[in-house]
Amino acid sequence: MIDKHISPSKSQHSQADTVVDELVTAIHQHRIAPGTKLGEDDLAEIFGVSRTIIRASLQALAHQQLVEIKRNRGAFVVQPSIREAHEVFEARALLEPGLANRAAERATANDIQLLQRHIEEEHAALAEGDRGKALHLSGLFHIEIARIANHATIAGFIEALIARSSLIIALYWRRESALCEKHAHHALLDALANQQGQAAEELMKSHLVDLHSALDLRERPKPARTLKEALGG
Amino acid sequence: MIDKHISPSKSQHSQADTVVDELVTAIHQHRIAPGTKLGEDDLAEIFGVSRTIIRASLQALAHQQLVEIKRNRGAFVVQPSIREAHEVFEARALLEPGLANRAAERATANDIQLLQRHIEEEHAALAEGDRGKALHLSGLFHIEIARIANHATIAGFIEALIARSSLIIALYWRRESALCEKHAHHALLDALANQQGQAAEELMKSHLVDLHSALDLRERPKPARTLKEALGG
DNA sequence: GGACACAATATTGTATACAACTTTGCGCTC
DNA sequence: GAGCGCAAAGTTGTATACAATATTGTGTCC
């Protein structure tokens, strides 16, 4: 579902792609917590395919750095460290503003409409109280901008970064700060619609700074799922 | 061999990693041309493992965008388009100068020595007339700098970009321009050794511009391996 | 003689079976 | 009763067998 936009001719999808999409979405929506073990037999039964397919899917997720495969131990949803959290948002701050600028120059009416719809869905999800879904859609908004900027290579990087951002937010978001992306995304949309590249760039930059500073990245990884991993180390 | 530096705890290597390393190196060194088909049975026999391992390896390479897997058709070494070539070098120009700056601030004497050795090997390879090997080592030089900069996330991106750069150079390098990375790399090393961040950043930037402009990116993909692909389109 | 249709071949996609390793649980010793 | 060692169970790693699809070769019809 996600790399459909980025990698052009991947329409020829295998069963593994379906599994990957399901898992990616579930992780994005925080329905699977960081640290969870993804057993092959379990997944094979759930999805009704053989372990061969599951293995390919898990390897794909490992390449995206969403899960970590420990040899002879299995696959686990990664728990990004504080350090990685900083890295990811630094990298985003480095890449995304420029992309927003490019996107403003290239966005068609169609693109704007699509983004508009994204924001509305995000809004609706939040109204329903489904924070996970809202966050997922918020990520798709950023990915869409990268796509509009028409720089597939960097867009691919952004996709990977946003996927990891989702995990980071799951781990380090502090409740106090409200999820007020609504304003930021709306302002961005306006700038894009009016082809104000410089404005879009600045908005994106400050938006990312806001996100980064809304994380609680002090020395203390939050509780993990498997207590063994949380305690024994 | 390559991601050993980037991904910290990947020392637990499976047979697939060996195959991947061999193929990556071979592609980097231009011993396998862009467009070549990588048949599963052939590789399985060559490496003395089952197709299972080969498949995992090819999927890994596909994720690195070094090969393209066409469903029911097989895996082929990718032939980057002119457009992708531009994208890759644009992305490198965006990321690597900053990394060089960071690296200058952090490089230890050990790091410098390691880079020094890299340059010497590169030099030696060129003296022997082994352009492929020299190019491979040249890539490792850049990857090493990314590693020294101590930003694993961006370093990972750089790694992917350099891998693709190798293919791009294989396709679009123009013979006229000499492979004179020697000076650029040596100057970079000096700047790093003396902790001159700003200088390193500028040197890296112009080095990449040089590389980019040494490519012949006019509208004309060079001859492909399979004539069918080259002619029928 | 050229073009199309069909059969034969080869290659990839998927499932299953077996091997290797890790973890868990039990029993023994001290 | 605590700690160690070994056996059993469970999970992952790898190889092989079978199914599905693409490619190639051959024959026939016009």
Side-chain angles (χ1 to χ4, degrees):
Chain A
M1 173 194 266
I2 281 189
D3 35 3
K4 186 190 302 173
H5 294 152
I6 302 305
S7 7
S9 65
K10 214 170 200 172
S11 56
Q12 34 181 359
H13 58 85
S14 63
Q15 301 187 67
D17 293 328
T18 309
V19 176
V20 169
D21 289 346
E22 294 261 350
L23 286 175
V24 166
T25 302
I27 293 174
H28 273 194
Q29 296 190 353
H30 299 176
R31 302 221 324 275
I32 307 178
T36 305
K37 167 159 186 179
L38 302 176
E40 297 184 354
D41 275 327
D42 298 346
L43 293 174
E45 188 170 9
I46 291 172
F47 287 103
V49 297
S50 80
R51 273 181 53 220
T52 306
I53 307 294
I54 298 299
R55 252 165 139 356
S57 305
L58 289 176
Q59 285 173 6
L61 291 176
H63 286 141
Q64 293 178 36
Q65 296 191 278
L66 285 184
V67 312
E68 184 182 4
I69 295 179
K70 302 181 184 177
R71 187 170 171 84
N72 290 320
R73 304 267 324 269
F76 302 81
V77 178
V78 299
Q79 300 181 274
S81 68
I82 290 175
R83 189 220 160 94
E84 287 168 330
H86 281 299
E87 283 191 357
V88 165
F89 278 91
E90 280 169 20
R92 289 185 63 176
L94 191 57
L95 295 175
E96 290 200 67
L99 278 187
N101 195 332
R102 255 181 91 121
E105 295 170 3
R106 303 174 148 273
T108 67
N110 217 336
D111 293 330
I112 300 296
Q113 210 171 356
L114 218 142
L115 287 173
Q116 178 76 48
R117 196 158 306 158
H118 256 297
I119 290 184
E120 281 165 15
E121 281 187 56
E122 194 181 332
H123 209 160
L126 241 153
E128 293 176 22
D130 192 342
R131 277 246 332 245
K133 189 176 174 190
L135 202 57
H136 179 57
L137 289 166
S138 156
L140 289 182
F141 183 84
H142 284 251
I143 289 175
E144 197 61 25
I145 289 178
R147 186 191 62 79
I148 294 170
N150 203 32
H151 195 304
T153 303
I154 295 181
F157 294 159
I158 295 298
E159 226 182 288
L161 289 172
I162 286 170
R164 292 174 73 189
S165 295
S166 173
L167 285 172
I168 290 165
I169 289 173
L171 278 176
Y172 299 110
W173 189 263
R174 50 178 155 183
R175 294 176 163 272
E176 306 93 46
S177 63
L179 190 62
C180 60
E181 306 213 298
K182 196 176 64 171
H183 300 97
H185 283 188
H186 205 82
L188 251 169
L189 178 61
D190 277 349
L192 293 173
N194 298 323
Q195 310 207 326
Q196 299 167 328
Q198 194 61 39
E201 181 166 344
E202 292 298 330
L203 283 168
M204 179 64 90
K205 189 184 284 184
S206 67
H207 175 38
L208 288 172
V209 168
D210 286 349
L211 277 178
H212 193 163
S213 64
L215 301 175
D216 182 5
L217 294 178
R218 288 168 302 182
E219 287 301 331
R220 171 186 39 82
K222 288 196 180 165
R225 223 50 166 185
T226 62
L227 301 192
K228 195 189 340 172
E229 291 220 345
L231 304 176
Chain B
M1 173 193 264
I2 279 189
D3 35 3
K4 187 191 300 174
H5 295 153
I6 301 303
S7 7
S9 64
K10 215 169 199 170
S11 54
Q12 32 181 359
H13 58 86
S14 62
Q15 300 187 69
D17 293 328
T18 309
V19 175
V20 169
D21 289 345
E22 293 262 351
L23 286 176
V24 166
T25 302
I27 292 174
H28 273 195
Q29 297 190 351
H30 299 177
R31 305 222 320 276
I32 307 179
T36 305
K37 167 158 185 179
L38 302 176
E40 297 185 353
D41 275 327
D42 299 346
L43 293 175
E45 189 170 8
I46 291 172
F47 287 102
V49 296
S50 80
R51 274 181 53 220
T52 306
I53 306 294
I54 298 298
R55 267 174 95 62
S57 305
L58 290 176
Q59 284 173 3
L61 290 175
H63 190 84
Q64 293 179 36
Q65 298 190 275
L66 285 184
V67 312
E68 185 181 4
I69 295 179
K70 302 181 184 177
R71 187 171 172 82
N72 290 320
R73 304 267 324 271
F76 301 81
V77 178
V78 298
Q79 299 181 274
S81 68
I82 290 175
R83 189 219 159 94
E84 286 168 331
H86 281 299
E87 284 192 356
V88 165
F89 277 91
E90 280 168 22
R92 288 185 65 175
L94 191 58
L95 295 174
E96 290 200 67
L99 277 187
N101 195 330
R102 253 181 90 122
E105 294 170 4
R106 302 174 148 274
T108 67
N110 216 335
D111 293 330
I112 300 297
Q113 209 172 355
L114 218 143
L115 287 174
Q116 179 74 48
R117 197 157 308 159
H118 257 297
I119 290 184
E120 282 165 15
E121 282 186 54
E122 196 181 331
H123 209 161
L126 241 153
E128 295 176 19
D130 191 342
R131 276 248 331 247
K133 188 175 175 190
L135 203 57
H136 178 58
L137 289 166
S138 156
L140 289 181
F141 184 83
H142 285 250
I143 289 175
E144 197 62 24
I145 289 178
R147 186 190 63 79
I148 294 170
N150 203 32
H151 196 304
T153 304
I154 296 180
F157 294 158
I158 294 299
E159 227 182 288
L161 289 172
I162 286 170
R164 292 175 72 190
S165 294
S166 173
L167 285 172
I168 290 165
I169 289 173
L171 277 176
Y172 299 110
W173 189 264
R174 47 177 156 183
R175 295 179 163 273
E176 306 94 46
S177 63
L179 189 61
C180 61
E181 306 213 299
K182 198 176 64 173
H183 300 97
H185 283 188
H186 206 81
L188 252 170
L189 178 61
D190 277 348
L192 292 173
N194 298 324
Q195 310 207 327
Q196 299 168 329
Q198 194 61 40
E201 183 166 341
E202 293 298 330
L203 284 168
M204 180 64 89
K205 189 184 287 186
S206 67
H207 174 39
L208 287 172
V209 168
D210 285 349
L211 277 178
H212 193 163
S213 64
L215 300 175
D216 181 5
L217 295 178
R218 288 168 302 183
E219 289 301 330
R220 172 188 39 84
K222 288 195 179 164
R225 223 51 167 182
T226 63
L227 300 192
K228 197 188 339 172
E229 291 216 346
L231 303 177

